[in-house]
Amino acid sequence: MTTIQERVTTTAPVVTRKKRDWSVAARVIVLLIASVFVLGPVLWTLSTSLRPPSESFQLPPAFLPLNPDLTSYEQVFKQLNIVALVINSALVTGLIAVGQMITAALAGYAFAHLRFRGRGALFSIVLATMMVPAQVTIVPVFMLIRGVGLSDTLLALIIPAIPTAFGTFLMRQYFLGLPGELAEAAAIDGASPWRTFRSVYAPLAMPGLAIVGILAFNFHWNEFFRPLIMTISEQNFTLPLGLVSLQGNLGTGSISVVLAGVVLSMIPALVVFMFGQRALQDGLTAGAGK
Amino acid sequence: MSTTTSAPARTGRQAVRKSPHDAKRGRVQQRWLPWAFLAPTIAGMGIFTLLPIVASIALAFFRWDIISAPTFVGFDNFAEVVQDPTVRVSFLNTIVFVVVAVALQLGLALGLAIMVQEKLPAWLRVFFRSAFFFPLILSAASVSIFMRYLFNEQFGVVNWLLSIVGIPAVPWLTTPGGSAAVVILVYVWQNFGFSFLLFIGGLASIPVETYEAASIDGATGWRKHWYVTLPLLSPTTLVASVMAIINALQVFDQPYVLTRGGPGDSTRTAVMVIFESAFQRLEFGQASAIGVILTLIIMGITALQFRLSKRFVFYQ
């Protein structure tokens, strides 16, 4: 699988003549302005959350948190059961990510290296499910969940999200990149097909699995639509839902408290961004080249 | 990367068969084994995607509020939905939203990708790429929360910035036009990075020699992009536009958190009316009918794009 990074680094400079240096400067300026517009709102959020609630609306805005004041963060913990929200979000996101990694590895391996009747047709069906918008299936899924008595539980968010067409597709591509001779060698050594998967292919596929896990984490940590529908009581809310309800409760009084909550909710996403940026970018765009 | 059936796996099986002890076990295992690997995914998709699709289509022909028994109403739901002014307005809003947001998203992404990809120090390229990618990792709900304050009429930073250049305060979230603009801007702000990444990948795959040849022929600056970059980028543009349109047609989080669909119905979207009719008014049949219509529109647009692309997409 060619990653974006490989492709990018092989690109030579496009403009070959030297005299156009001013155009490079102009481009850098435009790009810098664009990045100020992109990063500015986030910096403002961070900075405002670190100011006393009474100064939330100060203009001109401060983009650098010079005298951090943590009152807003204290308030978040007082007004919102943020520990419970984080635990819920972590449970939901973590179990979905692990579940997706396991099921996608199994299915991806079967589609890549095992032979069975109807493999091609079945894989096409799996791919086709990627194109079904969630809104079309949400009503029947809601009823199903309600029917089996799981409505307003975290399981209602976790179980339906585990089977993943995109993850299966990614893992199949990954396993196809691993040589089939490994299975041959393992078989000669007397390993069962299951053993071959567990001890030979699965460990080699760890980078691919990491991509599936990181994508699942990022998507479901931020998910709003399904939690809004599937959970009713506040004790089952996930973070995005909790934040929106906090905003509703406070109106526009002390926005730094709401923003402190927003910043807290971003921290895990930021950590993933720092360590898994490459994996995330590759994973997001992997489906585009198919 | 090969997509052909993998010969090595077959060799693997033959090797198992050759071993006399394992001959029988190997063959028996081979038959159910793939299905054991696939069971969780196939069962899950059957239960949570395929079955719901069928159920959703069926449900569209019934009137059902969960409490009483469903009654068959034929095409009534569709007829009512098509005549419902709120539904109509929200579909119209969605179309306007898709056209404007996708055009902005793709234009911004393409322009910035070309600028980043051309002769820049590597560290700057990495910085810009990370910066433009960054909003994608945030939740649409959080983004909408802080954007609501930035677009506040009296205290918002946006109006403060505008006041510097002498533009009077814009009532962003209290007028229909202002709200629609905010929803579009916030959505594009968060999502253009995705198209940007696709374009970066597409640009990187254009061979340098093509540009060298164009330079020798005397093409410079914008002409070079018009005659070389854009045609060679058309496959990427197709993928980027299909994905951007499909995503934009399903917009929900931003308008829900920013405006709750208002003022009036000015920012109500197709998915919002599905949500409202199912989970607020308990009209599950109508919600399903709207869902079916939305899906048909998405499928139709995607098919149309691929058909049009045969005329406009240039493959190397």
Side-chain angles (χ1 to χ4, degrees), chain B residues 94-106:
Chain B
T94 307
I95 291 167
V96 172
F97 171 83
V98 169
V99 171
V100 180
V102 170
L104 274 177
Q105 178 178 334
L106 292 181

Side-chain angles (χ1 to χ4, degrees), chain B residues 34-56:
Chain B
W35 299 102
F37 275 80
L38 289 168
T41 300
I42 300 295
M45 281 183 188
I47 295 170
F48 295 114
T49 309
L50 298 176
L51 190 75
I53 293 172
V54 177
S56 203

Side-chain angles (χ1 to χ4, degrees), chain A residues 15 27 37-38 45 57 60 106 112-113 119 135-136 139 143 146 165 173 176 180 193 218 222 247 255 273 277, chain B residues 1-2 5-6 8-9 29 33 37 45 56 66 115 118 130-131 137 139 146 148-149 155 160 189 271 295:
Chain A
V15 177
R27 271 193 286 117
F37 275 104
V38 173
T45 304
F57 282 114
L106 290 170
H113 286 308
R119 182 170 78 165
Q135 295 78 34
V136 183
V139 169
M143 289 172 168
R146 200 173 164 271
Q173 300 302 90
L176 282 176
N218 191 256
N222 291 335
Q247 184 204 26
I255 65 167
F273 177 75
Q277 203 198 145
Chain B
M1 158 163 49
S2 112
T5 47
S6 52
Q29 225 173 22
L33 192 89
F37 275 80
M45 281 183 188
S56 203
I66 284 201
M115 285 197 255
E118 267 187 55
S130 313
I137 66 151
S139 83
F146 66 67
R148 247 180 78 135
Y149 299 123
F155 320 105
W160 173 77
W189 180 87
V271 172
T295 310

Side-chain angles (χ1 to χ4, degrees), chain A residues 1 4 7-8 11-15 17-18 20-21 24 27-28 30-32 34-35 37-39 41-42 44-45 57 59-61 63 103-104 106-107 109-117 119 122 125-126 129 132-146 159-160 163-165 168 172-173 176 180-181 183-184 187-188 192-194 197 218 222 224-225 228-229 240 243-244 247 251-252 255 258-259 262 265-266 269-270 273 277-278 280-281 284-285 288, chain B residues 1-6 8-13 15-16 22 25 29-30 33-35 37-38 40-42 44-45 47-53 55-56 59 64 66 112 115-120 124-125 127-142 145-150 152 154-157 160 189 192 194 197-198 200-202 204-205 208 211 215 220-221 224 239 243 250 252-253 256-257 260 271 274-275 278-279 284 287-288 291 294-295 298:
Chain A
M1 184 156 56
I4 292 177
R7 275 186 264 149
V8 166
T11 325
V14 162
V15 177
R17 278 168 307 168
K18 238 182 164 180
R20 301 290 286 298
D21 274 343
V24 176
R27 271 193 286 117
V28 170
V30 174
L31 286 167
L32 277 176
S35 35
F37 275 104
V38 173
L39 299 177
V42 182
W44 172 83
T45 304
F57 282 114
L59 286 173
F63 285 102
T103 58
L106 290 170
Y109 181 73
F111 281 124
H113 286 308
L114 300 179
R115 291 170 56 78
F116 55 94
R117 226 187 319 160
R119 182 170 78 165
L122 204 56
I125 295 174
V126 170
T129 61
V132 181
Q135 295 78 34
V136 183
T137 52
I138 192 76
V139 169
V141 168
F142 174 79
M143 289 172 168
L144 195 73
I145 292 289
R146 200 173 164 271
I159 296 170
T164 159
T168 303
R172 172 182 174 271
Q173 300 302 90
L176 282 176
E181 283 81 11
E184 200 179 336
I188 289 167
S192 68
W194 167 249
F197 167 75
N218 191 256
N222 291 335
F224 181 69
F225 186 65
L228 179 69
I229 288 164
L243 290 175
V244 172
Q247 184 204 26
T252 48
I255 65 167
V258 182
L259 296 179
V262 167
S265 82
M266 283 177 186
L270 264 171
F273 177 75
Q277 203 198 145
R278 183 94 276 148
L280 256 171
Q281 292 185 4
L284 282 175
T285 51
Chain B
M1 158 163 49
S2 112
T3 46
T4 50
T5 47
S6 52
R10 187 172 35 197
T11 349
R13 187 171 61 169
V16 171
D22 289 340
R25 208 188 80 192
Q29 225 173 22
Q30 208 67 33
L33 192 89
W35 299 102
F37 275 80
L38 289 168
T41 300
I42 300 295
M45 281 183 188
I47 295 170
F48 295 114
T49 309
L50 298 176
L51 190 75
I53 293 172
S56 203
L59 209 55
W64 195 24
I66 284 201
L112 293 173
M115 285 197 255
V116 167
Q117 218 40 9
E118 267 187 55
K119 198 170 145 193
L120 270 194
L124 263 182
R125 196 179 288 172
F127 167 76
F128 288 129
R129 215 171 43 213
S130 313
F132 299 152
F133 172 72
F134 182 71
L136 278 174
I137 66 151
L138 305 175
S139 83
S142 316
I145 288 174
F146 66 67
M147 288 293 192
R148 247 180 78 135
Y149 299 123
L150 286 170
N152 182 293
Q154 287 122 49
F155 320 105
V157 174
W160 173 77
W189 180 87
F192 82 93
F194 181 64
L197 283 183
L198 295 182
I200 288 281
S205 68
V208 190
Y211 286 105
S215 304
T220 54
K224 192 183 63 197
V239 172
M243 293 181 114
Q250 300 170 46
F252 174 84
D253 297 4
Y256 184 83
V257 179
R260 291 285 146 95
V271 172
I274 297 180
F275 170 76
F279 301 104
F284 288 96
S288 298
L294 181 66
T295 310
I298 292 178

Side-chain angles (χ1 to χ4, degrees), chain A residues 173-240:
Chain A
Q173 300 302 90
Y174 205 89
F175 282 119
L176 282 176
L178 299 176
E181 283 81 11
L182 293 174
E184 200 179 336
I188 289 167
D189 288 348
S192 68
W194 167 249
R195 182 84 211 258
T196 307
F197 167 75
R198 265 238 44 196
S199 316
V200 181
Y201 281 95
L204 287 174
M206 275 329 239
L209 279 174
I211 294 183
V212 173
I214 288 174
L215 278 178
F217 178 88
N218 191 256
F219 184 82
H220 292 286
W221 183 266
N222 291 335
E223 204 181 7
F224 181 69
F225 186 65
R226 281 192 325 125
L228 179 69
I229 288 164
M230 297 290 182
T231 57
I232 301 154
S233 28
E234 253 174 69
Q235 79 222 35
N236 291 324
F237 278 8
T238 53
L239 258 174

Side-chain angles (χ1 to χ4, degrees), chain B residues 282-306:
Chain B
L282 298 182
E283 288 169 349
F284 288 96
Q286 281 202 0
S288 298
I290 305 171
V292 169
I293 296 172
L294 181 66
T295 310
L296 288 176
I297 293 176
I298 292 178
M299 283 165 61
I301 290 178
T302 311
L304 185 75
Q305 272 185 303
F306 279 106

